Amino acid sequence: MSDLPSHISLREVGPRDGLQNEAPVPTEAKVELIDALSHTGVRRIEAVSFVHPKAIPQMADADEVWRRIARNDAVRYSALVPNLRGAQRALDAGFAEIEVVVSASDTHNRKNVNRSTEESLDDIAGLIEAGHAAGSTVQVIVSTAWGCPYEGDVPVERVLAVAGRAVRDGADGLSFGDTTGMATPSRVQKLVGEFRSQHPQTPLNLHFHNTRGTGLANVLTALELGVDDFDASVGGLGGCPYAPGATGNVATEELVHMVEDMGVATGVDLEAMIDVAATAERLVGRQLPSQVLRAGPRTRRTPT
Ligand code: ZN
């Protein structure tokens, strides 16, 4: 096995990306999920998104969720926003970490935020300034980085151009989102390799969905390339708005279970995360796709 990072940073995105793609759950269920996650050892939680409530009614209670959770000082909580207006709400609420999302595919971006990718990038330049002026970090997430449900394959050059603009405009970090699970290891290798050679100093996070079963394979490929920052959602919460019934993000406990056995530390208590996955299942009222939730960790023994 090639050299892998000795440890990685995980961002738990179940409360946001996960719940945004589930049937609406009550505010108190969101609070319960975030508070439970805050005690699993995970250091970063994407807690809410500040989007227009008409666009995504599941997130209309973002301010209330943020007020009600019992914040753990050891955890960094972040908010996802689609534009400067959303960022201002997040900053007013006191978030010190903001993620702004832009699609590499123009069609997806227009469906999402009703403007072209270039228009979003112009808005993001001002957003980065506003975030920094308020003392917040701003990560730019380039979604549909490995393909778009409308346009199909998105050329690597296009993704790199969007990412390059964000880097030049002062983003504190970049993330590539495999929004609908179209990435495969060879495609991960190509995009990450080229991004790294152009921007060796820029922190890079990867966000995989397991829509087509390649989630963990993509994580492993990225680890071998030295990537040490990943998103995942507890239980594999979430889905895909373009494919009814499809699975969501890579499951946090599956990722932890695999990489810890390879000597890559995550800081996450696996059994605690599996317990939260069971909680998440109860809160959304359906069976979640995580296989480690079903089978337990490889160290678990059946009584004889
Ligand atoms: Zn996602």
Side-chain angles (χ1 to χ4, degrees):
M1 204 108 246
S2 51
D3 278 351
L4 300 178
S6 61
H7 62 280
I8 58 173
S9 179
L10 286 184
R11 177 167 59 198
E12 169 59 48
V13 299
R16 202 286 305 169
D17 201 0
L19 293 184
Q20 186 166 312
N21 292 300
E22 298 279 349
V25 301
T27 305
E28 61 189 45
K30 297 175 184 174
V31 172
E32 181 181 347
L33 180 64
I34 295 171
D35 285 349
L37 287 164
S38 298
H39 297 283
T40 58
V42 78
R43 299 286 191 277
R44 292 151 72 209
I45 299 176
E46 185 182 75
V48 294
S49 64
F50 289 96
V51 289
H52 200 286
K54 274 198 186 122
I56 303 177
Q58 287 94 326
M59 291 288 136
D61 56 358
D63 276 303
E64 196 187 344
V65 170
W66 177 233
R67 263 199 317 274
R68 282 174 53 181
I69 60 172
R71 292 180 212 166
N72 178 342
D73 288 342
V75 175
R76 290 153 52 197
Y77 302 90
S78 61
L80 182 100
V81 303
N83 51 33
L84 179 57
R85 195 177 340 166
Q88 272 151 356
R89 286 176 60 202
L91 293 171
D92 288 346
F95 277 92
E97 296 196 21
I98 289 175
E99 299 137 27
V100 59
V101 62
V102 57
S103 304
S105 139
D106 217 52
T107 313
H108 189 268
N109 204 68
R110 284 182 193 281
K111 296 263 185 194
N112 234 7
V113 289
N114 208 18
R115 46 164 68 147
S116 70
T117 300
E118 301 309 312
E119 287 168 324
S120 276
L121 285 168
D122 290 342
D123 179 81
I124 287 170
L127 186 161
I128 292 170
E129 264 182 51
H132 288 172
S136 172
T137 62
V138 179
Q139 181 192 68
V140 176
I141 300 175
V142 182
S143 69
T144 63
W146 283 281
C148 165
Y150 308 107
E151 294 183 14
D153 287 340
V154 176
V156 167
E157 298 68 40
R158 167 71 176 171
V159 182
L160 291 172
V162 172
R165 165 90 196 265
V167 172
R168 283 195 301 281
D169 287 340
D172 298 289
L174 260 285
S175 173
F176 289 133
D178 185 21
T179 314
T180 56
M182 291 166 72
T184 61
S186 57
R187 291 171 187 273
V188 170
Q189 216 158 21
K190 183 143 177 40
L191 178 57
V192 171
E194 300 212 3
F195 179 79
R196 277 258 180 270
S197 69
Q198 289 186 9
H199 306 285
Q201 307 301 330
T202 304
L204 179 66
N205 163 283
L206 297 180
H207 175 106
F208 293 117
H209 281 241
N210 199 36
T211 322
R212 293 175 176 81
T214 54
L216 284 183
N218 292 333
V219 168
L220 178 56
T221 299
L223 280 173
E224 289 176 337
L225 295 168
V227 176
D228 60 1
D229 184 351
F230 295 92
D231 284 357
S233 78
V234 64
L237 264 178
C240 173
Y242 312 96
T247 55
N249 297 86
V250 167
T252 311
E253 62 279 12
E254 291 188 348
L255 196 162
V256 170
H257 178 259
M258 181 181 84
V259 305
E260 291 268 356
D261 191 54
M262 301 171 72
V264 178
T266 63
V268 173
D269 178 333
L270 179 58
E271 292 284 358
M273 190 58 80
I274 291 172
D275 286 348
V276 180
T279 299
E281 227 173 36
R282 171 172 58 78
L283 294 175
V284 298
R286 72 172 182 102
Q287 187 170 312
L288 294 177
S290 165
Q291 289 170 292
V292 168
L293 169 58
R294 295 270 88 70
R298 54 180 290 288
T299 49
R300 193 177 284 178
R301 293 290 169 267
T302 306
T304 47

